[in-house]
Amino acid sequence: MNIISIVQILECNEIIKNQGLRFQIHLRDACGKQSCRIESLDVKNGKAELQALTLILNDYFSRFRFKLEYGEDGLNFWTL
């Protein structure tokens, strides 16, 4: 199982902020599986902003050889 660290979450949130997107990633650690939640910090965030965020997340975590899987709502993800 791939483990996402707190440092990676902090760095990822900084990258998102520097790209001008108003989202924040939160790490959840539950029994059996670690997951992350995407929080929108702006009511104006829509589908285009979420797609841009997804590209950033996929690129960032691919550096660590993580492949992300997203929930149906697109606001939760975990590593495969």
Side-chain angles (χ1 to χ4, degrees):
M1 177 166 85
N2 297 321
I3 304 295
I4 297 173
S5 73
I6 297 293
V7 172
Q8 289 168 323
I9 294 295
L10 293 171
E11 185 176 62
C12 187
N13 280 328
E14 188 65 26
I15 291 168
I16 293 165
K17 181 180 175 183
N18 290 340
Q19 291 294 318
L21 293 174
R22 304 255 310 130
F23 290 98
Q24 190 169 33
I25 306 303
H26 299 278
L27 182 62
R28 290 193 264 180
D29 193 15
C31 292
K33 195 167 200 174
Q34 185 183 52
S35 65
C36 296
R37 179 177 59 87
I38 298 169
E39 177 187 11
S40 174
L41 302 176
D42 192 334
V43 295
K44 296 178 184 176
N45 282 336
K47 192 173 185 177
E49 289 81 9
L50 189 57
Q51 287 176 338
L53 175 64
T54 300
L55 291 174
I56 291 170
L57 293 174
N58 290 337
D59 179 59
Y60 176 77
F61 285 106
S62 71
R63 298 177 197 171
F64 306 100
R65 297 186 179 166
F66 292 171
K67 182 175 179 176
L68 302 182
E69 181 176 18
Y70 294 85
E72 289 182 26
D73 61 3
L75 300 176
N76 293 286
F77 65 92
W78 50 91
T79 59
L80 296 176

